[in-house]
Amino acid sequence: MSAIARLDDVAMDVVHLTAPVSDADIAQLKLGDVVYLDGLLYTAREGVYRKVVDEGRGLPAGLAAMTNVNFHCSPAAAVRADGSYAMEAVTATASFRFGKSMSRWFAASGARVIVGKAGLTELAYREWFVPHGAIYLTTVGYGLGATYGRAIKRVVDVHWLAELGIAQALWVLEVERLGPFLVEGDREGRSLFALANREINLRLGEIYAGLPRYAQSRIGETTPEDEIV
Amino acid sequence: MIRPIPVKLIEDVARELTARAAIDIPPDYREGVRRARDAEQNRLARFVLDQMLENWEIASADRRPMCADTGLPRYYARVGNEAVIEGGFVALERALRRATAEATAAIPLRPNRVHPLTRADHDNNVGAHAPEVTYAFEPGRDFIDLTTVHKGGLFGSDYRMLFPADGVGGLKRFFVDTLVQFGKRGLACQPAVMGVGIGGAKDTCVRLGKEAACLRAVGSRNPDPAIARLEEELTALGNYVGIGAMGFAGTSLVVATHVEVAFTHTGGMPVGIHSFCLSSRRATARLHPDGRVEFRTDPEWFTDYYRRETIE
């Protein structure tokens, strides 16, 4: 379906999604589309993944029915003296660290849309996302903390706050026009960053041709002849 | 008799600095990014930079943090040799810890600081060696310049022991290695201010590189003309690599490069490289003994005295 072979082919069409995001909506997303999101989503990163993937605990009851959007994020948040929550900014954490957990995460959580930072490899998408019908949206910047923070309408709930702390707890958020995000991993497992990296790599040979090799490799490197270029 | 700087004032100023750093992007960096945006031809990278510029406006208008990743909040105190602190340096350090905890809840900031092994979080950005306080001194002054920096740190920094045979060419290779490694996918949240610390001991070059990235304003030059030329060459090289904002192809990778040097071992040339990211958060205040406080965004950390080379 997609004729996107280079960064220049990206249309950057603006798309509005509502969570839970339907399979039909997921299927129509193209690399580089600019996405805004309405509805509910939840934050989950290392602490929550440890509970759900490693310890086999389910998501909090009812959550999977409410939304299928997982934000790799911890918020700038606080618990006020009256027990209510202050949350002013949200930004994503790098997602590739969750790579090897993703397949089991999708199976356990029912998530279909991951919002995060920096994406995963096309191999990761093909092996772990595509079989679950999941796609990846990257945040923009990075660091649109204030822009995204403004789109949070309500903290609906927070789970595992005492055990995991504010940064790692699972926060359920109601958002309105949260974005922009960019479609980084599509339904077929293609990656926008992979497109970019292929174009960047074409140039690196020329850049490195002008630079001398190191006088010595780093002591402790296990692959001294295999310089990363 | 010099009047002591009240410790309550230090705490109040530290809290205010924490908020200003978290919310208001320093204008020197913002204008640097605006220039990078105007020069950028890649549509995606341009889109990213337009969004960042708007994000900073929203942050300042709403008084909310520009980025939810608070990084590792820390302080730099340049203390005048004639300055007296009420309660001494211990009182100052206690004030800075209280201010950090209070500001974390009040703004709010993300409580980022956890125990490295147990991952226990005090939910206030205070813990063992957190926040760090770094001191420098200045002759003939009776004030304190207090700066806070909130810098991320998972990506964009590296250290390498180079050798005299590597010279400037090897330095440039390490610079490009670091940019490519962390520039792809935008891991370092670039375009960044690149700080390069050369020489000293291992920890010296890492510290100097970080200070060069975080404590010099965009547009400043190293006073040594040869080093200032190197700064320009590294910036031009970085923006020639072909990576733009968020790792899309382009030219917006480096807003500025700041190089600082320390005398080093005769057999080595250790280098520390740091990236101060698209949320380059810093704020400075000068606290006078009479209670006056002047806020500014340029830390003016690198003074002639700080860079001194000789016996006085």
Side-chain angles (χ1 to χ4, degrees), chain A:
Chain A
M1 113 193 162
S2 172
I4 298 173
R6 311 164 54 236
L7 282 185
D8 281 349
D9 299 333
V10 168
M12 298 181 75
D13 290 334
V14 175
V15 181
H16 294 269
L17 297 178
T18 301
V21 184
S22 70
D23 289 342
D25 281 349
I26 285 175
Q28 53 131 11
L29 294 172
K30 308 184 298 301
L31 292 185
D33 280 352
V34 179
V35 175
Y36 294 86
L37 186 72
D38 285 310
L40 296 184
L41 57 76
Y42 59 87
T43 70
R45 55 183 296 176
E46 296 94 333
V48 172
Y49 275 53
R50 204 162 53 236
K51 286 192 175 299
V52 173
V53 175
D54 299 342
E55 298 172 14
R57 297 171 63 169
L59 279 189
L63 184 58
M66 290 156 67
T67 180
N68 57 2
V69 182
N70 166 206
F71 196 174
H72 284 165
C73 156
S74 19
V79 182
R80 296 195 192 97
D82 65 1
S84 65
Y85 306 111
M87 187 179 294
E88 297 295 333
V90 287
T91 35
T93 194
S95 297
F96 59 79
R97 287 176 288 160
F98 307 94
K100 63 178 193 289
S101 305
M102 289 314 302
S103 188
R104 283 178 294 159
W105 167 258
F106 287 129
S109 69
R112 293 293 174 266
V113 177
I114 299 291
V115 181
K117 173 183 174 182
L120 293 94
T121 63
E122 289 190 319
L123 181 66
Y125 290 139
R126 285 198 302 271
E127 300 222 331
W128 299 323
F129 279 61
V130 172
H132 295 280
I135 53 105
Y136 186 98
L137 305 177
T138 179
T139 52
V140 169
Y142 300 94
L144 296 186
T147 304
Y148 296 153
R150 213 184 228 188
I152 298 172
K153 293 299 130 188
R154 194 163 62 95
V155 175
V156 177
D157 210 346
V158 58
H159 300 274
W160 295 317
L161 180 60
E163 289 163 79
L164 298 176
I166 288 170
Q168 294 280 344
L170 187 156
W171 296 84
V172 185
L173 309 176
E174 183 186 333
V175 299
E176 188 178 304
R177 204 172 176 275
L178 177 66
F181 306 130
L182 294 170
V183 177
E184 137 64 13
D186 70 9
R187 185 65 186 79
E188 270 76 50
R190 286 173 294 234
S191 157
L192 182 64
F193 287 126
L195 282 185
N197 287 345
R198 282 195 280 274
E199 291 180 26
I200 290 164
N201 287 344
L202 288 176
R203 189 184 173 97
L204 286 182
E206 178 206 331
I207 303 293
Y208 276 95
L211 298 169
R213 295 181 73 85
Y214 291 116
Q216 306 212 6
S217 54
R218 279 202 228 213
I219 293 168
E221 279 178 359
T222 50
T223 53
E225 289 311 307
D226 187 23
E227 274 194 301
I228 297 163
V229 171

Side-chain angles (χ1 to χ4, degrees), chain A residues 10 201 206 208 214-215, chain B residues 43 159 166 177 184-185 240:
Chain A
V10 168
N201 287 344
E206 178 206 331
Y208 276 95
Y214 291 116
Chain B
R43 208 160 34 106
Y159 159 82
D166 284 302
D177 274 351
K184 286 183 176 177
R185 296 172 180 261
Y240 185 69

Side-chain angles (χ1 to χ4, degrees), chain B residues 9-10 12-21 145-146 148 283-288 292-298 300:
Chain B
L9 183 68
I10 294 171
D12 290 346
V13 167
R15 224 172 26 238
E16 174 65 18
L17 284 174
T18 301
R20 288 179 184 228
D145 276 352
L146 187 63
T148 188
T284 299
R286 178 163 294 176
L287 292 82
H288 295 276
R292 277 182 305 127
V293 178
E294 299 161 306
F295 287 96
R296 62 179 199 265
T297 55
D298 183 350
E300 298 170 32

